[in-house]
Amino acid sequence: MRLHWLAYSFVLGLTVLSFYGLISFGNESLDTSLLQDSYFYSILGFTLKQALISAVLSVGLAIPIARALYFLPHLPYKKLFLAFCLLCFVTPTLIVITGLVALLGRSGFLTPWLNTLSDNHWNIYGMSGILIAHVFMNMPLAVRIIYLELQSIPETSWKLASQLKLNKADCFRIVEWPTLRNTSILLLCFIFVLCFNSFAVVLALGGGPQSTTLEVAIYQALKYDFNIPEALTLAWTQLIVAGGLYWLISRFGSLSWKNVDSSRNVWRPKKGTISIQASKVMYGLAWIILLLPFVSLIPGLLDSKLSRPDIQAISRAAAVSIGLAIIAATLAMSIAYALLHPIRQAAMGAKLKRLWLLESVATHTLISPAMVLSVGLYIFLLPRIDIEQWGIVFVILLNTALVIPFAVKKLKPRLLQFDQQYNRLARSLKLNRRTLWRIEWPFIKEIYLATFGLVLVLALGDVAIFSIFGTTEWTTLPWLIYGYASSYRIAEASAASFILLILCALFLFLLEKLVHKKLALRPLMNQKLTDEKQHKEGDTHA
Amino acid sequence: MRKTLSLIAACGIVNSVNAADLTVYTYDSFVSEWGPGPQLEATFEAHCQCDIEFIAVDDGISILNRVRIEQDKTKADILLGLDDSLTEITRKEGLIQPHGIKLDTLKTDLNWHDPNFIPYDYGFFSFVYNSDKVSEPAVSLKELIDSDASVIYQDPRTSTPGQGLMLWVKAVYGNQAPAAWKQLATHTVTVTKGWWEAYSMFLEGDADYVLSYNTSPAYHVIIQDKPQYKAALFNEGHIAQIEVAAISKYSKNPDLAKQFLQFLISPEAQSVIPTTNWMLPVINNIELPAVFDTLIAPKRIGFTPKEIAKKRKKWLREWRSTAN
């Protein structure tokens, strides 16, 4: 089975081909004169600044909310809240922008109130708008991850802390902080990288050319100036800076993307009444803040009357989108599983360098600029294949490549956990591959399905890749939204956006539901293992 | 996956057997259901007893980029959807051939003598406002820039209207442009990546003025029955955007391509374009919905495509360092 090396060639191959496409086109080299331009440094500085503040704010705000969730295990609708957190993270940026403008723009619902508070100085456009949008999209993800990480604090730690009569501050410092610190640093880096690559949000809400990120410059260089040397220089800068941070991430260990476990009744210290009330208020506020931008879309929605052809176009595009996203997600999950095989081997052999190297390769598409990847591949492919016939295949493949890092990151901890618990046993029992899989599958199933939902929804929202490789007969829902919007049909666009949002939510909630159903069957797994063992023994005896 | 691939491959084979007689590269909204593409295709195919195929890319500049990459391997017979600011670059790249069509039916105001490009519609960049909110609109670019009315426009690095405003300010202010940008920045709400982000923010009520086209109000009247949206007429004159088409240098069917270009400026095609692409016809005596008579008809100012090609970079740099 050399399938996993095939998977590595796939992810690496796409990147290599796209850079080859760019570099070989007219034998272009790097444009180092750009590095002497003050403009370059000002946008690099701005990119770093907004990404850093966005990351710090997202994580800083997430910690108290996650702690509130953790210490009050019986908050109403908690699971729904955690699923909703994921929805905010994957909501297409164009919906976020529209929602925030309807809420906080000059004629926004909250604006009169904000103006009273700020003495008529409220203005969403500028750094504030960028930060609000970035925090809105990333803070919920951080809440989710920190909360699930807190849950991994062993019950015994709390019991011990209470026996030792540690005060609140010490409790925090000794019990929570080691967990929080690790997760927070990793989240900071992760959100930093995402905001570093942010584009549409930054331009739309930034207020002017002072708000320009590297990604905008790459877009301009590739599209409007067709200046490939400049685009390459920018792309390398982005790779080096974002990659440098990524390197930091890997050094600190890796972010685990846990799944919502069924509420185990773990003992936690009781909080004082005031702190319980404060946590409840915070939880309520978090709900309101996350819901408001979506709610503010509704009036615009009621304004739109969809005609029959519109409904047909929307349903067709929705069907295409779902189909493409399912294929991309399935591929991404299979490839991620294959990519993880040597990583698991390396982990079991405690070969840390190898593990780090393999993981960097497997997840490198997280940091490489998507625009460069797709345009480079486009340049490489255009003279070689018929893009009208094959374009849609590359829409799928590139979307697959871009969501693979998420799948790898989410699956990895669970698979490593499996290896840790069962690998020796499985080896001593000399289980064959098929039997091993029958034990492994129930173990990873829940995370596998939840991850499938996440990458599916991420692929569902794609416009960047479709704008380059897509063809009219395969119009996807996000692309249709842009189509409507770019021909004045803004009401139809908002209706279609809402449908896209509902689709995303449906997939996320359904899969989360499915996961919990399956979770109830979990005790069976150990039973199964014993069965396998007996079965195996039976075989050898016979 | 293998199944899907072979399925797609199978469709591909069928497709290539039925290769069209004429392939037109254009932008997406031109061929969308509500764009002019479908009607033009049907009418022209009935004329020529041939099969034409539209291949749509993201936007005008993407058409140029695609043929730049493809060079002699291009499928395009016709490039449709570039604008006058791109004609010079396209010519320099040697991607097109002369059309050999007589241009005397075109509106004289267009002053069009290009041997390679045929214009098929045009519009003037204009600031659109809601007359329910703004009762006395600015009458000149200078008045608007000196006022404190809130404005949303598009980034000249990433959008055509944005580039239009850059030329406009340059044409009106010349060397004083940096000061004008600084002044405008004091009451600019935001600068967006593309047209629709700006326009939808304007419709949400986020600005008094948005940069768009003089034809925008026609859409609101015809489709939405909302007469309050108007374009402001500026006495310095406006920058025009002229959308053009040309025959690819590598066309395998240049005669048919020429026929298509001829068709584009025929009364038949010209009466379809205004209400589907929301731009003005390039020939006179086209019957249009009444609202088109109420649109502003500005004086045209600006630069030649050659000047734009030469100075665009410099002006962009000027904009990005002063419009803060």
Side-chain angles (χ1 to χ4, degrees):
Chain A
M1 273 271 268
R2 295 284 167 269
L3 259 178
H4 42 273
W5 297 124
L6 201 69
Y8 277 90
S9 341
F10 169 74
V11 285
L12 212 53
L14 280 186
T15 312
V16 170
L17 284 187
S18 59
F19 272 85
Y20 173 77
L22 284 175
I23 294 167
S24 67
F25 187 75
N27 293 318
E28 310 265 13
S29 55
L30 292 183
D31 175 14
T32 44
S33 69
L34 190 70
L35 299 175
Q36 275 126 43
D37 193 341
S38 67
Y39 169 68
F40 170 76
Y41 292 99
S42 74
I43 59 172
L44 184 60
F46 179 79
T47 313
L48 287 167
K49 185 172 122 191
Q50 60 84 17
L52 197 67
I53 306 178
S54 302
V56 170
L57 277 180
S58 303
V59 177
L61 290 170
I63 290 176
I65 300 174
R67 290 186 74 229
L69 289 176
Y70 177 65
F71 284 109
L72 299 177
H74 300 297
L75 284 171
Y77 304 111
K78 189 147 105 183
K79 260 182 220 152
L80 193 67
F81 181 77
L82 289 170
F84 191 63
C85 281
L86 212 48
L87 182 65
C88 293
F89 178 64
V90 296
T91 302
T93 48
L94 101 149
I95 300 180
V96 175
I97 297 173
T98 320
L100 287 177
V101 168
L103 189 68
L104 303 168
R106 292 208 328 151
S107 309
F109 300 114
L110 288 186
T111 307
W113 180 69
L114 285 167
N115 268 331
T116 340
L117 279 185
S118 67
D119 210 16
N120 282 326
H121 285 306
W122 172 249
N123 183 8
I124 188 183
Y125 300 100
M127 194 53 130
S128 53
I130 298 174
L131 296 180
I132 289 172
H134 282 164
V135 168
F136 176 79
M137 292 189 285
N138 296 308
M139 187 264 281
L141 179 81
V143 169
R144 195 181 148 99
I145 291 177
I146 295 172
Y147 166 73
L148 298 171
E149 204 60 43
L150 281 173
Q151 279 201 319
S152 69
I153 296 176
E155 197 174 4
T156 44
S157 302
W158 287 119
K159 287 191 170 151
L160 193 62
S162 94
Q163 276 160 5
L164 294 173
K165 299 203 174 11
L166 295 185
N167 64 23
K168 263 189 203 154
D170 282 338
C171 240
F172 180 78
R173 192 170 56 84
I174 298 169
V175 184
E176 287 177 60
W177 183 238
T179 308
L180 277 179
R181 188 190 52 203
N182 197 22
T183 319
S184 305
I185 291 173
L186 297 171
L187 272 171
L188 274 178
C189 294
F190 182 71
I191 296 174
F192 176 88
V193 171
L194 292 181
C195 297
F196 192 90
N197 295 347
S198 176
F199 176 7
V201 166
V202 172
L203 268 192
L205 299 175
Q210 73 274 20
S211 310
T212 296
T213 58
L214 224 47
E215 194 81 10
V216 177
I218 293 179
Y219 182 83
Q220 186 199 351
L222 271 182
K223 188 160 181 176
Y224 279 80
D225 302 341
F226 206 68
N227 185 340
I228 291 175
E230 191 177 307
L232 274 172
T233 314
L234 291 164
W236 283 115
T237 313
Q238 181 152 352
L239 269 176
I240 290 164
V241 177
L245 258 135
Y246 193 74
W247 178 73
L248 275 178
I249 298 186
S250 352
R251 275 180 56 110
F252 280 109
S254 104
L255 194 53
S256 67
W257 294 54
K258 294 220 164 76
N259 271 76
V260 183
D261 260 331
S262 63
S263 58
R264 282 168 295 161
N265 275 324
V266 175
W267 185 86
R268 273 157 233 175
K270 286 254 176 331
K271 290 275 161 184
T273 343
I274 299 176
S275 114
I276 287 180
Q277 290 312 322
S279 298
K280 278 185 180 162
V281 169
M282 205 142 50
Y283 178 67
L285 272 179
W287 259 116
I288 293 172
I289 289 171
L290 296 186
L291 270 177
L292 272 178
F294 293 114
V295 174
S296 64
L297 288 173
I298 293 173
L301 198 67
L302 299 176
D303 207 29
S304 61
K305 291 183 203 79
L306 290 183
S307 66
R308 249 189 106 86
D310 286 329
I311 293 170
Q312 277 167 0
I314 291 175
S315 11
R316 202 189 120 86
V320 171
S321 284
I322 294 171
L324 294 181
I326 286 178
I327 299 175
T330 312
L331 271 177
M333 292 307 288
S334 324
I335 293 172
Y337 186 81
L339 287 171
L340 279 164
H341 182 78
I343 292 177
R344 291 163 68 183
Q345 301 289 334
M348 283 188 282
K351 292 175 189 143
L352 293 180
K353 263 210 177 114
R354 186 181 159 85
L355 184 122
W356 174 81
L357 184 74
L358 287 170
E359 207 185 334
S360 308
V361 174
T363 55
H364 77 278
T365 43
L366 189 66
I367 48 159
S368 44
M371 175 91 187
V372 171
L373 217 61
S374 39
V375 172
L377 202 60
Y378 183 69
I379 293 180
F380 176 78
L381 291 170
L382 206 44
R384 292 178 171 83
I385 62 163
D386 185 346
I387 214 92
E388 269 61 56
Q389 288 167 35
W390 295 97
I392 200 67
V393 175
F394 287 92
V395 170
I396 293 173
L397 291 183
L398 272 166
N399 267 308
T400 305
L402 290 184
V403 298
I404 281 175
F406 295 92
V408 168
K409 291 226 165 286
K410 256 197 109 163
L411 281 179
K412 193 186 94 170
R414 188 66 172 175
L415 283 170
L416 294 189
Q417 192 189 351
F418 175 81
D419 291 339
Q420 213 170 22
Q421 289 179 14
Y422 296 104
N423 181 51
R424 283 178 195 194
L425 179 61
R427 283 214 337 214
S428 70
L429 292 173
K430 298 196 172 42
L431 299 183
N432 63 24
R433 201 181 293 277
R434 236 187 88 220
T435 331
L436 191 63
W437 172 247
R438 279 174 58 195
I439 306 165
E440 189 180 303
W441 174 241
F443 191 85
I444 61 167
K445 194 172 187 172
E446 35 177 298
I447 287 193
Y448 196 91
L449 288 176
T451 312
F452 181 80
L454 175 80
V455 296
L456 179 88
V457 171
L458 281 174
L460 204 60
D462 162 70
V463 269
I465 296 167
F466 193 89
S467 75
I468 293 170
F469 285 98
T471 46
T472 346
E473 65 260 45
W474 292 96
T475 298
T476 60
L477 193 50
W479 191 245
L480 185 71
I481 296 170
Y482 273 90
Y484 278 136
S486 63
S487 29
Y488 295 92
R489 300 163 64 107
I490 287 162
E492 285 88 341
S494 65
S497 306
F498 206 76
I499 291 169
L500 176 62
L501 197 63
I502 289 185
L503 279 180
C504 292
L506 219 62
F507 278 116
L508 287 178
F509 294 135
L510 275 182
L511 278 154
E512 201 104 330
K513 260 244 147 63
L514 204 65
V515 168
H516 289 302
K517 276 234 178 84
K518 297 291 180 256
L519 208 68
L521 302 172
R522 215 170 139 193
L524 281 179
M525 202 177 58
N526 295 327
Q527 181 64 44
K528 214 169 197 170
L529 194 69
T530 338
D531 288 352
E532 296 291 345
K533 196 174 152 190
Q534 284 163 357
H535 186 66
K536 186 84 191 169
E537 276 163 6
D539 275 358
T540 36
H541 285 303
Chain B
M1 186 63 209
R2 201 172 299 153
K3 259 187 192 164
T4 326
L5 278 182
S6 50
L7 191 76
I8 292 168
C11 300
I13 292 160
V14 177
N15 266 347
S16 50
V17 171
N18 299 332
D21 304 310
L22 197 70
T23 305
V24 182
Y25 282 9
T26 185
Y27 50 81
D28 261 302
S29 61
F30 196 88
V31 289
S32 67
E33 275 166 69
W34 52 84
Q39 283 186 63
L40 294 185
E41 183 177 354
T43 320
F44 185 69
E45 282 180 349
H47 269 299
C48 70
Q49 300 294 318
C50 63
D51 178 29
I52 63 173
E53 180 193 13
F54 285 109
I55 289 180
V57 294
D58 204 0
D59 50 19
I61 184 83
S62 304
I63 301 172
L64 170 59
N65 289 344
R66 176 159 176 172
V67 288
R68 261 172 176 166
I69 301 166
E70 289 177 327
Q71 294 290 335
D72 57 345
K73 293 201 176 83
T74 188
K75 285 192 260 182
D77 294 296
I78 285 177
L79 320 180
L80 184 156
L82 303 169
D83 69 17
D84 51 332
S85 70
L86 295 172
T87 52
E88 211 42 48
I89 307 169
T90 316
R91 211 188 329 264
K92 263 198 199 142
E93 298 259 341
L95 298 164
I96 45 171
Q97 53 176 295
H99 52 63
I101 292 173
K102 272 195 196 144
L103 301 167
D104 48 8
T105 54
L106 298 177
K107 285 180 181 169
T108 47
D109 298 351
L110 287 171
N111 196 19
W112 195 266
H113 307 289
D114 196 302
N116 298 109
F117 292 93
I118 289 284
Y120 63 87
D121 66 21
Y122 74 108
F124 292 97
F125 294 118
S126 304
F127 282 95
V128 171
Y129 62 96
N130 181 345
S131 59
D132 289 348
K133 289 186 183 165
V134 179
S135 50
E136 282 180 49
V139 296
S140 68
L141 185 64
K142 283 192 168 153
E143 188 190 329
L144 178 71
I145 288 182
D146 289 335
S147 75
D148 57 359
S150 54
V151 171
I152 297 183
Y153 65 94
Q154 301 81 2
D155 195 318
R157 293 170 297 186
T158 54
S159 95
T160 346
Q163 183 169 310
L165 180 64
M166 183 179 83
L167 302 177
W168 204 354
V169 167
K170 212 58 209 168
V172 171
Y173 285 88
N175 292 335
Q176 303 301 308
W181 287 124
K182 270 213 148 58
Q183 182 59 35
L184 179 61
T186 60
H187 50 102
T188 298
V189 173
T190 196
V191 179
T192 64
K193 176 187 163 217
W195 174 84
W196 80 266
E197 285 127 328
Y199 208 78
S200 56
M201 282 174 173
F202 162 74
L203 292 180
E204 287 279 353
D206 266 48
D208 299 326
Y209 292 90
V210 65
L211 181 64
S212 187
Y213 296 91
N214 69 322
T215 44
S216 301
Y219 171 83
H220 291 289
V221 170
I222 295 174
I223 304 288
Q224 297 183 315
D225 202 19
K226 285 184 180 165
Q228 68 266 42
Y229 295 106
K230 298 216 155 78
L233 179 65
F234 288 171
N235 58 27
E236 298 105 336
H238 291 222
I239 301 283
Q241 181 183 23
I242 304 175
E243 294 196 281
V244 298
I247 305 172
S248 161
K249 183 178 159 190
Y250 307 103
S251 169
K252 294 183 184 74
N253 208 343
D255 291 332
L256 192 61
K258 187 179 163 184
Q259 261 185 59
F260 184 79
L261 291 192
Q262 191 83 59
F263 165 73
L264 268 185
I265 52 171
S266 69
E268 256 177 310
Q270 285 293 308
S271 56
V272 171
I273 289 173
T275 51
T276 47
N277 217 29
W278 303 104
M279 292 289 253
L280 301 170
V282 292
I283 59 174
N284 289 313
N285 304 322
I286 295 294
E287 216 166 290
L288 293 173
V291 59
F292 275 87
D293 297 330
T294 68
L295 298 179
I296 58 165
K299 180 174 85 185
R300 185 175 163 210
I301 54 170
F303 304 91
T304 62
K306 266 195 182 127
E307 279 174 295
I308 298 173
K310 220 171 102 191
K311 295 192 176 144
R312 191 179 147 267
K313 269 206 161 154
K314 192 177 148 230
W315 292 343
L316 274 176
R317 218 172 296 139
E318 186 178 276
W319 170 80
R320 79 187 183 204
S321 60
T322 51
N324 283 322

